[in-house]
Amino acid sequence: AGIALLVSGALAPQDAARTYFAAQLVTVTPALGLLVLTQRLPRLLDAAHVLNVVLFLLSMAGMIVVSRGLHGEIALFQAFAMAAAPVSFNLVQTLDFRAVVAVALLYLPALFLNAETHGGFDGSAVWILDWFYVMLTALSLKANRRIEASERLNFLNALRERLRSGAIAADNRRLDELARTDGLTGLPNRRDFDARFAAAMQDGGALAVLVVDIDHFKLYNDALGHPEGDRCLRAVAAAIARGVGEAPN
């Protein structure tokens, strides 16, 4: 845009060069500093966001260069219209709020400097422009903050639902395991047998059943008591579990 104004004669060569380099000093230099900062703070910005920030600041510099070559009502209109770019950037970019504030602190001085040094605006117009820039930036930053808070809340709610679903699934598996296991011996019970038997009949597989009779268990149980009888049953069940495994494929 600055080159087009220069070619069209809207800006003199010396004015175009002076304005261009002033805009670069105000916008590009801080942008490069922000780029270095993001290397130390990778959680704030990723590479795509850094590129977007730099391009945004360069576009702001280009709009400032254009505004320097305009005069009268069109210059004032251009000065007000430039506020739309920062507002759009603050609302569209999915940046960390601290990063958006840092970018605002870069472009606001450039807009203030442009309004103060333009030459075509009187004091009241400059004051109104500065107030306009600050108010729109503050409102867009507030909106960005709310959007960020809403996105974080949605993420936490989704994470909570995933964790809750995983916990429910784990509880269901545990309950199913308990329902298929004998509480005393820890061996599969009749419910597990029925399920395995139905699966074997459906798939045509084999199913082995082990029937164990403990000799003189009633006498042992009556003589030593039920607690000792239960310990005996658990000991026998553990021996069976160690000696019996899944059928080989």
Side-chain angles (χ1 to χ4, degrees):
I3 295 175
L5 288 172
L6 177 62
V7 173
S8 63
L11 287 176
Q14 62 274 16
D15 294 335
R18 188 182 305 111
T19 303
Y20 176 78
F21 286 112
Q24 300 305 305
L25 179 64
V26 173
T27 58
V28 177
T29 302
L32 294 177
L34 179 63
L35 182 62
V36 174
L37 177 63
T38 56
Q39 301 302 316
R40 296 182 177 272
L41 300 174
R43 293 183 179 180
L44 293 181
L45 296 172
D46 57 24
H49 287 151
V50 171
L51 179 61
N52 290 336
V53 168
V54 173
L55 291 178
F56 164 73
L57 293 176
L58 290 176
S59 66
M60 290 297 299
M63 287 188 287
I64 290 175
V65 170
V66 171
S67 69
R68 305 297 292 187
L70 302 176
H71 302 282
E73 295 181 355
I74 188 63
L76 189 60
F77 175 80
Q78 170 71 6
F80 277 102
M82 282 193 297
V87 171
S88 301
F89 179 82
N90 292 340
L91 295 180
V92 173
Q93 285 296 316
T94 57
L95 297 178
D96 184 273
F97 178 73
R98 293 168 295 176
V100 176
V101 172
V103 175
L105 295 178
L106 292 177
Y107 69 70
L108 275 177
L111 293 177
F112 294 156
L113 180 63
N114 179 61
E116 293 285 346
T117 62
H118 188 277
F121 307 145
D122 56 23
S124 60
V126 171
W127 184 88
I128 293 174
L129 276 173
D130 291 343
W131 177 85
F132 186 70
Y133 294 148
V134 171
M135 289 301 298
L136 284 186
T137 297
L139 290 175
S140 61
L141 288 176
K142 182 178 180 180
N144 179 278
R145 182 65 170 176
R146 288 187 175 182
I147 293 173
E148 181 184 54
S150 177
E151 290 179 347
R152 288 182 177 181
L153 181 61
N154 292 336
F155 171 78
L156 291 177
N157 288 335
L159 179 61
R160 182 181 61 184
E161 290 301 321
R162 288 197 297 270
L163 293 176
R164 180 181 300 172
S165 299
I168 291 175
D171 290 342
N172 289 337
R173 288 192 297 269
R174 178 59 179 164
L175 290 174
D176 183 68
E177 180 181 351
L178 291 175
R180 293 170 176 264
T181 304
D182 180 71
L184 176 62
T185 62
L187 295 177
N189 59 11
R190 174 61 184 273
R191 180 188 181 93
D192 185 76
F193 170 77
D194 291 340
R196 290 174 181 267
F197 181 76
M201 294 298 294
Q202 181 178 0
D203 299 337
L207 180 65
V209 179
L210 181 64
V211 179
V212 177
D213 181 31
I214 303 176
D215 293 339
H216 310 298
F217 175 75
K218 184 177 186 307
L219 295 176
Y220 181 89
N221 194 54
D222 292 342
L224 301 179
H226 293 290
E228 285 299 326
D230 291 344
R231 278 193 284 271
C232 176
L233 291 176
R234 284 194 289 269
V236 173
I240 294 174
R242 288 193 299 270
V244 177
E246 295 290 335
N249 295 329

